[in-house]
Amino acid sequence: MNMIIMGPPGSGKGTQASRIAEVYGVPAVSTGDMLREAISNGTQRGLEAKAFMDKGELVPDQVVIDIVKERLAEADAQQGFLLDGFPRSAVQAESLGETLAGAGKKIDLVINVAVPDDEIIRRLSRRRVCPKCNAVYHLDHQPPKVAGMCDKCGADVVQRNDDNETTIAHRLEVYRQNSEPLIEYYRNMGLLVEVPGTKTIDEVFGEIRAHIEGKL
Ligand code: AMP
């Protein structure tokens, strides 16, 4: 099954994406993770993307579209995939539709995780991430077992450059303007299901699971 998980920054979609990937055996394709990896590898793409990301702006469509095209052409994405953080603009959504149609494929399900703004700001300012394995923590609700250390790989957890209050506010604005309209776009295509992201991680996953099972 080919899926997309959408939602504002901090909605917990990355956490849910890892779970879905594990349970359903599809790769979670996160453009944010791929861009951060390009930055830490010092590639041309990473250099190009960094300035936009630090400001909370969208990286130019073509850069992200190319990354996703390459990733979806890999062997492990042929039996299904889950896109996390892509598409984030109408241009990206249309390009994705065309690329998939060209390969005789389509999107089967779009999951929208909804969370109100005040909750997002609270979550993101207390979020910590592992730069090595991309695990996500929250200082209050889901802290690492040993303070400052990733449970999964032992690396030092850090605060993302773009998880500061000014940038968070801007990312939310960018989300409202560019990405939120995609909810309607996929609803009109009959592909959208919505889950409230304010419940516990297990409850949200339970709801997502029911939607996926309904499509299998
Ligand atoms: P995320 O990890 O999904 O919150 O993404 C972090 C940042 O990466 C965003 O604020 C953007 O600057 C950039 N980014 C990730 N995905 C996209 C996308 N599909 N289009 C444009 N920029 C993106």
Side-chain angles (χ1 to χ4, degrees):
M1 174 145 41
N2 301 330
M3 298 176 276
I4 297 174
I5 187 159
M6 296 184 27
S11 55
K13 60 184 157 52
T15 303
Q16 296 296 336
S18 308
R19 286 241 185 147
I20 298 168
E22 208 180 300
V23 171
Y24 294 98
V26 290
V29 175
S30 157
T31 42
D33 285 349
M34 289 191 288
L35 289 166
R36 280 183 288 277
E37 199 180 315
I39 292 174
S40 65
N41 291 338
T43 66
Q44 182 58 36
R45 252 181 201 159
L47 286 176
E48 208 178 319
K50 188 174 183 336
F52 294 96
M53 292 173 75
D54 284 348
K55 282 187 283 185
E57 299 281 349
L58 291 185
V59 171
D61 284 328
Q62 203 51 52
V63 174
V64 191
I65 287 170
D66 288 347
I67 291 180
V68 171
K69 263 191 200 164
E70 285 167 22
R71 182 65 188 85
L72 293 187
E74 286 178 31
D76 67 339
Q78 303 317 307
Q79 302 310 316
F81 55 79
L82 171 66
L83 289 167
D84 164 14
F86 182 94
R88 258 178 159 99
S89 69
V91 172
Q92 293 177 19
E94 273 150 31
S95 159
L96 174 66
E98 282 162 21
T99 305
L100 292 177
K105 297 182 183 178
K106 62 180 173 50
I107 293 295
D108 302 301
L109 184 67
V110 180
I111 303 154
N112 183 48
V113 186
V115 177
D117 282 8
D118 52 347
E119 173 70 13
I120 285 168
I121 292 164
R122 212 170 23 246
R123 285 184 184 188
L124 290 183
S125 48
R126 304 282 287 163
R127 175 162 80 176
R128 296 295 181 271
V129 296
C130 173
K132 207 166 148 206
C133 75
N134 300 316
V136 181
Y137 300 93
H138 186 280
L139 292 183
D140 308 318
H141 307 308
Q142 217 196 355
K145 291 192 182 98
V146 176
M149 198 173 102
C150 178
D151 296 351
K152 293 189 182 147
C153 75
D156 287 345
V157 300
V158 297
Q159 183 166 34
R160 273 172 48 172
N161 274 349
D162 55 354
D163 277 349
N164 63 77
E165 246 177 69
T166 321
T167 313
I168 292 169
H170 188 56
R171 283 161 65 202
L172 272 173
E173 252 174 63
V174 168
Y175 171 77
R176 296 271 174 261
Q177 205 171 347
N178 298 280
S179 312
E180 209 170 45
L182 297 181
I183 296 175
E184 231 24 65
Y185 176 85
Y186 286 117
R187 184 180 286 127
N188 290 338
M189 291 169 78
L191 295 175
L192 191 86
V193 296
E194 298 199 77
V195 295
T198 41
K199 299 189 176 178
T200 66
I201 294 175
D202 284 343
E203 285 168 340
V204 176
F205 184 60
E207 293 205 15
I208 290 176
R209 218 176 160 154
H211 285 299
I212 295 175
E213 304 287 332
K215 283 267 178 176
L216 285 176

